[in-house]
């Protein structure tokens, strides 16, 4: 089973058509961002996936600008709409963010944050249960300690439909921990029964650029750095392949780089 896949958004049929066709032809996972609502793009995605002779693994990314975890209570109708849309294309789970901005890190506010997130998580888990459709919470503006704490909360609440999406580029920008530290925690999280989804892309350490590895190969940025430490970026992806063999690993790069990016990474991984 192929576990390295592509991500698209429903914004422009012309941009995404080669990527959707490649995912189906190569039998690779496909992630669909439900952000723009372009009818022509959506109809192409829906018809392509429904008519394909090969059923590929599909997941969706919710519109996190409207449906981040932090404000999900009260937006159940919109959440229902996106989960119905997700299941229309055979999505087995969806992804969202905790918030569109960093949450408070002050210890004095932790109790209030627990109470607020508990309410939001229970609402989200309840809606997910209606559809048997998990939602994976993606790391964004917080460090590793925050996500340790967050998933301990999920565990204490005994929620069944909340899992984790690890974004390799976000961790480089917004946390102080190094990639090997994140990988150790991800393995621990998986051992505790959580499923993991991966977002793969590159940046220069200054901003969340979502660069393809073909772009950073040209600029020499795929070698070891202060974030990856003992690995270059291809070795890091090999670690993910070997330690998370069943997890989907999706490249979040611009669609016009997507095919060349996949070809380069697969060549470097010997696949």
């Amino acid at each position: 089973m192929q576990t390295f896949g592509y991500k698209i958004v429903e914004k422009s049929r012309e941009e995404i058509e080669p990527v959707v066709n490649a995912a189906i032809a190569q039998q690779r996972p496909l992630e669909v961002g439900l952000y723009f609502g372009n009818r022509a793009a959506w109809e192409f995605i829906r018809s392509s996936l429904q008519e394909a002779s090969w059923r590929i693994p599909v997941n969706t990314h919710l519109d996190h600008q409207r449906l981040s975890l932090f404000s999900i209570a009260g937006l159940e109708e919109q959440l229902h709409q996106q989960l119905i849309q997700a299941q229309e294309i055979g999505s087995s789970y969806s992804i969202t963010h905790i918030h569109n901005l960093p949450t408070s890190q002050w210890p004095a506010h932790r109790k209030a944050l627990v109470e607020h997130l508990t309410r939001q998580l229970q609402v989200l888990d309840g809606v997910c249960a209606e559809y048997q459709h998990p939602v994976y919470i993606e790391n964004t503006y917080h460090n590793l300690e925050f996500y340790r704490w967050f998933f301990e909360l999920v565990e204490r609440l005994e929620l069944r439909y909340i899992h984790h999406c690890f974004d390799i580029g976000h961790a480089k920008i917004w946390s102080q921990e190094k990639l090997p530290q994140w990988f150790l925690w991800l393995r621990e999280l998986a051992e505790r029964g959580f499923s993991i989804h991966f977002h793969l892309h590159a940046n220069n350490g200054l901003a969340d650029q979502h660069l393809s590895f073909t772009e950073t190969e040209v600029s020499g940025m795929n070698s070891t750095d202060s974030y990856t430490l003992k690995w270059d970026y291809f070795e890091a992806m090999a670690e993910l392949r070997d330690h998370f063999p069943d997890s989907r690993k999706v490249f979040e790069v611009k669609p016009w780089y997507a095919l060349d990016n996949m070809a380069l990474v697969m060549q470097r991984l010997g696949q």
Side-chain angles (χ1 to χ4, degrees), residues 211-266:
L211 300 174
S212 68
F213 293 98
T214 49
E215 294 171 276
T216 48
E217 180 79 350
V218 172
S219 60
M221 287 167 51
N222 289 336
S223 57
T224 58
D225 60 21
S226 60
Y227 171 58
T228 61
L229 297 182
K230 58 185 177 179
W231 303 308
D232 66 27
Y233 281 84
F234 299 108
E235 291 169 334
M237 287 184 276
E239 288 287 315
L240 294 181
R241 176 196 61 196
D242 296 342
H243 291 291
F244 300 92
D246 298 322
S247 294
R248 300 177 200 171
K249 307 154 189 77
V250 168
F251 293 104
E252 277 195 311
V253 303
K254 299 174 185 68
W256 47 90
Y257 288 120
L259 273 61
D260 287 344
N261 177 81
M262 181 68 74
L264 172 66
V265 174
M266 292 304 99

Side-chain angles (χ1 to χ4, degrees), residues 17-158:
E17 186 168 351
V19 184
V20 173
N21 291 339
I24 294 170
Q26 299 167 15
Q27 300 178 50
R28 293 193 179 278
L30 183 68
E31 179 173 325
V32 180
L34 304 177
Y35 308 150
F36 296 99
N38 179 279
R39 184 176 297 275
W42 174 254
E43 286 303 316
F44 171 71
I45 295 165
R46 185 187 59 78
S47 61
S48 296
L49 293 176
Q50 290 180 351
E51 295 168 8
S53 55
W54 297 104
R55 293 296 179 186
I56 61 173
V58 175
N59 72 277
T60 44
H61 196 303
L62 302 181
D63 180 359
H64 56 278
Q65 297 295 329
R66 292 185 295 127
L67 294 171
S68 71
L69 171 66
F70 202 82
S71 57
I72 210 82
L75 296 175
E76 290 91 336
E77 183 177 348
Q78 294 182 43
L79 178 59
H80 280 284
Q81 290 172 354
Q82 287 221 318
L83 294 186
I84 290 169
Q85 191 177 9
Q87 295 198 330
E88 189 178 350
I89 58 172
S91 171
S92 52
Y93 56 83
S94 293
I95 295 166
T96 195
H97 298 178
I98 286 182
H99 199 358
N100 297 319
L101 297 168
T103 63
S104 173
Q105 297 298 292
W106 287 96
H109 295 164
R110 186 56 63 94
K111 182 175 184 294
L113 186 59
V114 167
E115 293 173 354
H116 182 79
L117 288 178
T118 294
R119 167 64 177 152
Q120 308 304 312
L121 282 164
Q122 289 172 335
V123 168
L124 178 59
D125 195 70
V127 175
C128 288
E130 294 182 42
Y131 294 89
Q132 301 287 293
H133 187 91
V135 166
Y136 289 48
I137 304 298
E138 181 176 348
N139 62 300
T140 48
Y141 306 111
H142 303 87
N143 60 21
L144 177 54
E145 184 278 331
F146 178 88
Y147 293 101
R148 287 185 186 277
W149 168 82
F150 176 80
F151 281 98
E152 287 168 2
L153 174 62
V154 172
E155 212 164 27
R156 289 199 305 274
L157 294 173
E158 299 182 342

